[in-house]
Amino acid sequence: GPQCKYCPAASACPAFNKAYFASVEAVSHFVQDTLSDEVLSAQLDMIGRIEDLVKTRKGSLEQLAVSRIKEGKLIPGYACTESYGHRKWKSNIKPEVIEALTGVNVLEQVMVSPAKAEKLGVPKDIMKQMAESPSLGAKLKRVATKEMGNKIFGNQQPAIQGV
């Protein structure tokens, strides 16, 4: 279930592992030349579920491996290395100090985001002319198509003849 997604014990959980290995088996034995719309939908659902299982399995195994390596055990082919983010200024450093020490102004002037401009009081009608939301492309999303169709076309039940 959804509670398994971040469970650190998933690597050793019999129920999770049963679901994981059943999904791997289902994919490895399934062959399909043509896909009806219904089969396409079912396979997208199945692959989505498998993707979640694989991500959870990988994460739990990685946590287990890191834990064992930190205990001093050797996991063949793996080691722990520290990971770092991008450098950032220490919290007590002021731009004036950098400029006084180096003569370099490290401040830059940046236009605020459209959302922040609206919060600052720029009228929405001006924002509609000056800002845009770029398309990120089509993304497939699971929806209740029957309810969506009823919303768009109304609930069109077939007329019963002779009643």
Side-chain angles (χ1 to χ4, degrees):
Q3 69 277 8
C4 297
K5 190 167 189 165
Y6 300 107
C7 179
S11 62
C13 174
F16 178 82
N17 285 308
K18 184 177 178 181
Y20 171 76
F21 286 109
S23 70
V24 170
E25 187 175 328
V27 170
S28 64
H29 294 299
F30 189 81
V31 177
Q32 180 80 35
D33 291 335
T34 60
L35 297 173
S36 69
D37 295 341
E38 290 75 19
V39 171
L40 176 60
S41 175
Q43 285 193 17
L44 285 168
D45 288 345
M46 179 178 67
I47 296 296
R49 175 71 175 131
I50 290 169
E51 183 179 37
D52 289 344
L53 288 169
V54 169
K55 283 180 182 176
T56 300
R57 176 86 174 154
K58 183 178 185 240
S60 66
L61 290 174
E62 286 173 344
Q63 287 179 355
L64 180 60
V66 166
S67 172
R68 288 186 181 177
I69 290 169
K70 285 183 177 181
E71 292 172 359
K73 296 181 180 175
L74 294 174
I75 306 298
Y78 289 90
C80 289
T81 58
E82 279 301 312
S83 178
Y84 296 97
H86 294 289
R87 288 183 298 167
K88 62 180 186 175
W89 295 109
K90 294 179 179 178
S91 60
N92 62 337
I93 301 299
K94 304 287 184 234
E96 298 82 15
V97 173
I98 301 295
E99 188 170 8
L101 292 172
T102 65
V104 177
N105 181 357
V106 294
L107 288 176
E108 40 179 49
Q109 188 174 1
V110 179
M111 185 181 282
V112 299
S113 70
K116 189 166 184 180
E118 277 187 355
K119 287 180 183 175
L120 293 172
V122 176
K124 289 186 184 222
D125 59 328
I126 291 178
M127 289 306 301
K128 284 182 183 178
Q129 296 172 7
M130 303 289 177
E132 63 184 0
S133 295
S135 173
L136 300 176
K139 183 177 179 183
L140 191 61
K141 177 182 168 187
R142 187 75 166 114
V143 296
T145 51
K146 183 177 179 182
E147 286 77 13
M148 192 167 71
N150 286 342
K151 217 181 245 187
I152 295 169
F153 301 110
N155 192 358
Q156 299 178 359
Q157 297 292 329
I160 300 173
Q161 298 293 329
V163 177

